[in-house]
Amino acid sequence: MNKNSLRKIAIFTVGNCDDVRVFSGFPYFFVKNLENKNFELLKFDISPNKLLSKFFNSTITRILNSAYKNLFYNKNYYDYSRSFLNSILINRRIKKIIRNQKDIDLIIFLTYSFSAHKYTNIPIVLFSDDTFDKCINVFSERKPNILEKIHVNKEKNNINNADLTVAFFPELKEFIEQNYNPKKIIYTGKVINLYNVSLNEAEVINNKLRKHNLLFIGRKHYIDGCKILIDAFLQLPNSIRDKYTLHIVGLNENNFKDRELSNCNIKFYGRLNKDNNDEYELYKNLLSDARLFINPFRLGGTYLTSIEAM
C-alpha cells in the first residue's frame, strides 16, 4: 500500500479510545497521534457487554475459578471476555461495521483477540502488549487449560492472518515468532503515555537531590511487587526510614489490611486519572520529585510506568 494514499483508517479498541484511562492511556495517545497527522479515523469500541459480562463472571467464571484453584492450586484466566458467546457477539458487530463502511484504507485492532480477516481484504494491523498464552505462561507458569486454549487458538489465527502484527516488547516479538506464523511482525519500541511534559534536566536533578521520596506506581495486578517494597521499607532502621517517604500510586491502604502501616511514612494516592488536570499534574510531580522509582515486580520489569519514569 502506498503510504501517501492511506487516509481513512478504522480503529477497533476494547474500551473507549477517547478516554485516557483505558489501557494505561495507550489507545488515547495512539489515536491522538493519528489525528494530528490528519488521518480520517473511524473509531469503534468492541468492549464486552457489561450486563452479560457481570452475569457470566459472577456465575460461570466464579465456579471455574473455585474448581480450578481447588484442583490445580492455580488461577483460571477464562472469563466472559474470552468466552465463545462474547466472541460471537463481537465478531457480528465487527462484520456489520466492515460491511457498512466504505473506502476504508486500513483496519487497526489494538488487541490480538479480534480481527476482520474473515470479512474483508482490507489490510489489517494488530497491536498489543501480550498474547493470552504468553500471559498465562509468565504469570502462572503453566500451559493454557482446555477453555483457555480456545481463545489462544483464536488469537493465533488472528495473528497468522494479519498483514502486520506489532509487538510492544522485544520478548513478545520473539515469542510470537517462535510459536506463531505471522506474515510480518515488528517491535515498536517503548510506549510513553505522557503529554505536555517540558523538563529542565538540571532543575529536576537538583530537586531530586533535595528530596527523599521513593515512588511505586502500579495497579492491583502488581500488588505482589508492592508488598515486597513495603516489607523492605518497614525493615529499614527508624533512623533511615524517617528520612524517606514512600509514595504509592495505583493502590490504596485498604489493599494492605494485613500490614500495620500507620505512622511509617507511606502515602497512598490510589488511581490518578491522567484526564483530570489536577491529578495528572500530581502524577508528573511525583515522578519528578522521586529520588528513586522502584519496581520490584519480577514478572513485569519493563511495564509502561517504568518507561514513563525514565
Side-chain angles (χ1 to χ4, degrees):
M1 175 183 291
N2 188 335
K3 293 182 180 180
N4 294 327
S5 65
L6 182 60
R7 299 312 318 161
K8 194 173 184 179
I9 303 174
I11 299 182
F12 292 83
T13 58
V14 181
N16 180 5
C17 63
D18 290 321
D19 187 343
V20 74
R21 296 169 295 179
V22 172
F23 187 27
S24 299
F26 172 72
Y28 175 86
F29 291 109
F30 184 91
V31 166
K32 291 299 179 185
N33 186 54
L34 291 179
E35 288 177 340
N36 290 337
K37 296 181 183 298
N38 297 319
F39 288 107
E40 180 182 353
L41 302 183
L42 304 173
K43 297 176 284 188
F44 304 101
D45 182 352
I46 51 173
S47 298
N49 180 282
K50 290 184 179 179
L51 291 178
L52 289 176
S53 181
K54 184 177 181 180
F55 173 77
F56 189 100
N57 291 336
S58 64
T59 54
I60 298 174
T61 301
R62 187 175 182 181
I63 293 171
L64 289 172
N65 288 344
S66 178
Y68 204 78
K69 185 175 182 180
N70 291 331
L71 290 172
F72 303 105
Y73 305 100
N74 216 318
K75 182 179 179 180
N76 163 63
Y77 289 89
Y78 183 84
D79 61 7
Y80 178 74
S81 67
R82 299 175 176 108
S83 69
F84 184 67
L85 176 59
N86 184 57
S87 179
I88 290 176
L89 295 178
I90 297 299
N91 281 321
R92 282 181 179 175
R93 195 188 314 171
I94 293 171
K95 183 178 180 180
K96 183 177 180 180
I97 289 170
I98 296 300
R99 287 185 172 180
N100 289 339
Q101 297 297 329
K102 305 296 182 183
D103 303 324
I104 297 175
D105 299 311
L106 180 68
I107 300 173
I108 296 176
F109 284 85
L110 301 188
T111 175
Y112 294 151
S113 295
F114 295 97
S115 183
H117 63 268
K118 295 180 180 179
Y119 317 124
T120 182
N121 292 321
I122 299 170
I124 294 173
V125 179
L126 305 183
F127 283 78
S128 193
D129 64 336
D130 224 343
T131 61
F132 187 37
D133 53 343
K134 183 175 179 295
C135 177
I136 295 171
N137 178 267
V138 170
F139 291 102
S140 291
E141 299 179 336
R142 64 172 176 83
K143 295 181 178 180
N145 62 38
I146 294 175
L147 292 174
E148 292 165 345
K149 190 68 176 178
I150 296 173
H151 189 76
V152 167
N153 289 334
K154 290 177 182 176
E155 283 196 343
K156 182 176 291 188
N157 187 45
N158 292 337
I159 289 172
N160 290 347
N161 285 281
D163 295 275
L164 174 64
T165 300
V166 183
F168 285 3
F169 305 107
E171 60 269 24
L172 175 59
K173 177 177 179 289
E174 182 179 348
F175 179 88
I176 292 175
E177 288 174 331
Q178 292 176 352
N179 296 278
Y180 295 59
N181 187 30
K183 295 178 181 178
K184 184 178 181 181
I185 182 168
I186 61 172
Y187 156 58
T188 59
K190 299 305 181 184
V191 179
I192 301 176
N193 296 329
L194 296 173
Y195 58 96
N196 295 335
V197 177
S198 179
L199 300 174
N200 181 298
E201 183 176 346
E203 290 181 2
V204 171
I205 292 175
N206 288 332
N207 185 51
K208 290 179 182 294
L209 293 176
R210 291 195 304 268
K211 299 186 177 182
H212 296 81
N213 295 331
L214 310 178
L215 179 63
F216 173 91
I217 302 174
R219 53 192 171 89
K220 198 171 182 179
H221 188 68
Y222 300 98
I223 193 170
D224 289 341
C226 191
K227 288 179 177 179
I228 293 172
L229 175 58
I230 288 176
D231 291 343
F233 186 72
L234 294 177
Q235 290 178 32
L236 291 172
N238 290 341
S239 59
I240 297 177
R241 193 178 70 224
D242 289 346
K243 297 178 181 179
Y244 290 88
T245 302
L246 174 58
H247 300 267
I248 296 176
V249 176
L251 296 166
N252 295 300
E253 191 170 355
N254 290 335
N255 297 122
F256 305 93
K257 292 181 179 180
D258 57 337
R259 287 163 171 77
E260 176 53 50
L261 300 179
S262 58
N263 301 318
C264 57
N265 289 359
I266 299 179
K267 292 186 178 181
F268 293 89
Y269 297 86
R271 181 171 183 172
L272 296 179
N273 181 8
K274 293 179 182 177
D275 210 22
N276 180 294
N277 289 334
D278 292 337
E279 292 184 15
Y280 182 57
E281 286 302 314
L282 174 59
Y283 181 78
K284 290 192 296 183
N285 289 336
L286 287 169
L287 285 169
S288 297
D289 292 345
R291 178 172 285 199
L292 286 176
F293 176 88
I294 307 174
N295 167 28
F297 187 59
R298 71 180 182 88
L299 298 178
T302 57
Y303 68 110
L304 298 181
T305 50
S306 299
I307 311 303
E308 291 179 358
M310 289 190 284

